[in-house]
Amino acid sequence: MFHLLYIFAFTILAFLAVGNLIRSMMMLGIDSQRSYGNRQQSRRFVPHPELLDESGNLTNEPYLVMRSINVDDARERLDAIFNASPGVQDDPSEETR
């Protein structure tokens, strides 16, 4: 008996949830087509502050430039950085354990 009551209650809740979902989707569609005030002001482009230079002008420079190098050049550069760091032994064959 309680099983039927639970199934009936959850069926009603499911219909209410689906109805609310459909109503919300319809209201969202109506609100997205509605015009608020002057459309010229809403479509004005406002750049992010990091895209502006010191005088407030928009910069057209790339911020990340990547170039391709081969594996040997990359390994040499990394070895040079590692060897220049403090605490590195002069002879790589000497290892302390």
Side-chain angles (χ1 to χ4, degrees):
M1 180 64 184
F2 286 119
H3 297 286
L4 292 175
L5 182 63
Y6 284 135
I7 292 172
F8 182 69
F10 285 120
T11 304
I12 291 174
L13 287 174
F15 278 117
L16 289 174
V18 170
N20 190 20
L21 176 67
I22 292 171
R23 232 180 350 267
S24 296
M25 295 292 284
M26 289 175 52
M27 293 303 294
L28 182 65
I30 292 170
D31 285 343
S32 68
Q33 295 177 356
R34 188 175 297 167
S35 173
Y36 294 105
N38 189 1
R39 288 184 82 66
Q40 296 291 21
Q41 288 179 348
S42 66
R43 292 187 183 246
R44 191 178 71 184
F45 174 70
V46 179
H48 193 273
E50 291 182 356
L51 296 176
L52 302 176
D53 60 4
E54 292 82 19
S55 61
N57 298 324
L58 189 64
T59 58
N60 291 327
E61 299 173 1
Y63 289 100
L64 177 63
V65 177
M66 296 179 67
R67 63 185 170 121
S68 177
I69 61 172
N70 62 16
V71 176
D72 294 329
D73 289 339
R75 186 170 292 136
E76 287 175 10
R77 288 184 184 183
L78 288 173
D79 286 340
I81 292 171
F82 179 75
N83 292 333
S85 64
V88 176
Q89 299 171 351
D90 292 334
D91 187 10
S93 62
E94 296 177 10
E95 292 184 7
T96 58
R97 293 184 185 216

